[in-house]
Amino acid sequence: MFADLLRVRTPLVNFHVLKDESGLVLLDAGFLGASRSLRRALAERGWENEPVRGILLTHGHLDHSLNVARLAKETGAWIAAPRLDGGRYLGRTRSLGWSRIAGALEGIGRPLLGFRPFVPDRWIDDGDELELWGGLRAVHLPGHTEGHTGYYCASRKLLFCGDLFASFSRWSHFPPAILNAEPERMAESIHKALSLDLAGVIPNHADDAEAEEHLRRLRILAGRLKGD
């Protein structure tokens, strides 16, 4: 996609590494096998000696946050994360309706998978500007979780959209109801994302298509949602 952007694949979910003049920032931290996948991906790109200076989260679901505390301890990286998911970083989940199923599964999974609670060094709110990778702006996209947040790079017209949708060619879809803490807000967040000046989007659950193709798929899904 970009010479200063690296996709790291782990079972069920991808995460990304952003590189600028001061080092590397992880955008989410992956799920099972993330450390091994990260080391391999960095070595293949020739970044294995670059310092990891930060970890930036899109939201607090376990498949994005499982490795955060351990990686931060190993690398000395700061942690920045959406404020409204604060309880999730401490291992607490507020679940209503169908999302109680996912909340129960996460409650079981945290101790089994070795999740370590953490408190971010910086809280992220809607509209916050981050001075990394040429400039990123936090875009609150609630629904999947209370604090679910994307990061928009205006200079590249690119949105890291977290779990706003999953992009797998003809099997692209929005997250199922059991995974959405506030499903009534999903449509609002989709509209908010697509109102940005976009050339591409990068979801965490996705195949190897280019960012422009992921955006095309998101627009098709949004059109179906409206009945267009």
Side-chain angles (χ1 to χ4, degrees), residues 99-218:
S99 69
R100 289 175 179 167
I101 298 173
L105 292 174
E106 285 200 323
I108 295 169
R110 287 190 187 101
L112 289 177
L113 300 176
F115 171 81
R116 301 178 190 175
F118 60 91
V119 176
D121 300 289
R122 175 177 175 178
W123 293 109
I124 299 295
D125 296 303
D126 188 38
D128 282 356
E129 300 284 346
L130 295 93
E131 294 182 1
L132 56 94
W133 210 60
L136 296 177
R137 184 173 83 241
V139 182
H140 185 214
L141 302 172
H144 190 56
T145 67
E146 302 85 355
H148 183 265
T149 295
Y151 297 96
Y152 177 62
C153 180
S155 63
R156 309 185 197 212
K157 300 182 180 181
L158 183 70
L159 175 68
F160 295 95
C161 62
D163 284 5
L164 187 66
F165 79 117
S167 181
F168 295 98
S169 188
R170 72 184 72 178
W171 296 281
S172 298
H173 59 275
F174 293 120
I178 64 169
L179 299 180
N180 297 327
E182 298 177 327
E184 71 280 0
R185 304 189 72 182
M186 288 294 294
E188 166 196 347
S189 291
I190 294 160
H191 175 76
K192 182 176 181 180
L194 289 175
S195 70
L196 298 169
D197 183 12
L198 291 173
V201 299
I202 299 180
N204 284 81
H205 298 273
D207 58 24
D208 288 331
E210 296 295 328
E212 295 83 0
E213 172 62 15
H214 292 312
L215 176 58
R216 187 188 71 85
R217 295 172 186 173
L218 176 58

Side-chain angles (χ1 to χ4, degrees), residues 52-74:
V52 176
R53 65 184 183 95
I55 303 171
L56 177 62
L57 285 179
T58 59
H59 63 293
H61 275 164
L62 190 59
D63 58 332
H64 297 250
S65 63
L66 174 63
N67 303 291
V68 169
R70 183 176 50 76
L71 285 172
K73 183 177 181 180
E74 289 176 0

